Amino acid sequence: MATAGAPRRFCRCACFCSENLYVARYGLHLRFRGEEQLRRDYGPILRSRGCVSTKDFQELLAELEQEVERRQRLGQESAARKALIASSYHPARPEVYNSLQDAALAPEFLAVAQYTTSPGADLQGLLQRLETVSEEKRIYRVPVFTAPFCQALLEELDHFEQSDMPKGRPNTMNNYGVLLYELGLDKPLVTPLRERFLQPLMALLYPDCGGGQLDSHRAFVVKYAPGQDRELGCHYDNAELTLNVALGKAFTGGALYFGGFFQAPAAQTEPLEVEHVVGQGVLHRGGQLHGARPLGTGERWNLVIWLRASAVRNRLCPMCCREPDLVDDEGFGDGFTREEPATVDVCALT
């Protein structure tokens, strides 16, 4: 049992360095334990997607080995980048680093938040205050930030991108964007957003997914632009729940699309497409398969927050679908803890 008041130590699952390694040119997430296993498990599908020569395979092997090494160093290197940015970077819009204020939030979002913490709040009442994108897939949308705050945040992100500060990539599929932990925006912006607003909202929408027990997150901004990332392949998130907020800029194309749930294969159906609306956030389960259509013109920036509940993921890692093999990590790690909180609601997990 966790000791009251003791600091939580977050971990990652060891599978992070061997599972779900994304290879963009073949459009595959791979499990990698070595050359023999790679040939045995993926030989036919790799050949069908163009990995046909010895050179092709050796290049793939080198890429996977490099990615494993990168992942092993990731926590320490991220912490080092954060420390350097904190000591040397000069923001263009320092006000975005202030503690989250209600003035940054859309009136509709504040109304939703007020409802979720009111006596007698329930799911049906909440759904009257949200846009239901898909009842079947449990995807919802709500305005989150005001236009002025989106603009200020974009100006700051642009300024950081143009600086000579080191930058970690958001995840294995997005090569352009910003990790909010490294930029120093986790504590003033994302943590209060999760604790004050998103947790009571998610507790009503997704009680079966740990919505009321969110205790960590991974937040990043992704950028799509000509000559950079233009689309995103179908995948699911390393999170119980996800919030995806469109920040801007001017763009065409790039719609989100949603398929089935990764743990519940269903008959092939036409994907559900959702257009981005600046300032509005799309809420969905982390396991919902999704991607982004190719960008047409302009630049698209989105804030993505992976919301995690250790009480759920400590039982089953969503990436390897096994009991997690815990490894100590920096910051929130991947949201696992060595001990569950003392106040776990077992009923919500069954």
Side-chain angles (χ1 to χ4, degrees), residues 150 244-248 251 276-282 301-303:
C150 288
N244 185 330
V245 184
L247 299 176
F251 60 89
H276 300 278
V277 179
V278 172
Q280 296 198 8
V282 176
W301 296 68
N302 283 59
L303 169 62

Side-chain angles (χ1 to χ4, degrees), residues 3 31 59 69 77 102 133 160 172 274-275 294 307 340:
T3 303
R31 177 173 180 262
E59 287 178 349
E69 292 175 1
E77 291 185 351
D102 287 1
V133 176
F160 177 72
T172 57
V274 182
E275 297 294 335
L307 298 159
E340 292 188 355

Side-chain angles (χ1 to χ4, degrees), residues 66-234:
Q66 183 178 17
E67 174 61 15
V68 168
E69 292 175 1
R70 186 193 72 85
R71 292 188 179 203
Q72 291 170 340
R73 301 189 306 265
L74 193 61
Q76 290 183 337
E77 291 185 351
S78 182
R81 286 191 297 266
K82 182 180 187 299
L84 178 59
I85 291 166
S87 66
S88 305
Y89 175 64
H90 300 286
R93 299 295 299 266
E95 67 273 19
V96 303
Y97 294 85
N98 296 334
S99 183
L100 179 65
Q101 302 296 311
D102 287 1
L105 300 171
E108 298 92 334
F109 190 67
L110 291 172
V112 165
Q114 182 178 18
Y115 175 77
T116 60
T117 55
S118 65
D122 60 17
L123 177 60
Q124 291 307 312
L126 175 59
L127 292 180
Q128 295 174 14
R129 295 162 169 83
L130 299 174
E131 175 189 349
T132 298
V133 176
S134 171
E135 182 178 1
E136 176 193 2
K137 299 181 187 300
R138 301 174 69 187
I139 301 171
Y140 308 95
R141 180 156 57 184
V142 63
V144 177
F145 297 121
T146 64
F149 181 79
C150 288
Q151 182 62 33
L153 183 56
L154 275 178
E155 290 178 10
E156 177 57 30
L157 295 168
D158 247 339
H159 178 69
F160 177 72
E161 187 183 53
Q162 299 303 319
S163 75
D164 59 0
M165 290 290 101
K167 302 167 182 71
R169 66 181 185 181
N171 54 68
T172 57
M173 299 182 73
N174 292 101
N175 295 297
Y176 297 89
V178 179
L179 291 163
L180 268 62
Y181 162 78
E182 294 184 5
L183 191 53
L185 284 171
D186 245 8
K187 186 175 181 180
L189 174 61
V190 186
T191 295
L193 185 65
R194 168 172 57 84
E195 292 179 345
R196 291 175 50 201
F197 299 102
L198 294 177
Q199 179 158 324
L201 168 61
M202 297 301 201
L204 289 178
L205 283 180
Y206 306 103
D208 54 326
C209 302
Q213 298 167 300
L214 303 174
D215 54 2
S216 75
H217 60 262
R218 178 177 174 83
F220 49 90
V221 173
V222 292
K223 177 189 177 186
Y224 297 86
Q228 300 181 4
D229 292 337
R230 296 185 63 92
E231 60 187 303
L232 188 63
C234 190

Side-chain angles (χ1 to χ4, degrees), residues 1-48:
M1 182 174 292
T3 303
R8 306 284 303 284
R9 181 62 188 265
F10 287 90
C11 307
R12 60 176 168 84
C13 178
C15 78
F16 178 69
C17 292
S18 62
E19 308 276 345
N20 294 287
L21 279 67
Y22 184 64
V23 183
R25 67 180 178 276
Y26 299 126
L28 290 173
H29 284 86
L30 305 177
R31 177 173 180 262
F32 179 61
R33 296 292 179 89
E35 180 175 351
E36 182 179 342
Q37 171 266 326
L38 185 66
R39 290 185 183 277
R40 181 182 66 247
D41 293 349
Y42 299 103
I45 191 169
L46 283 169
R47 287 191 292 273
S48 74

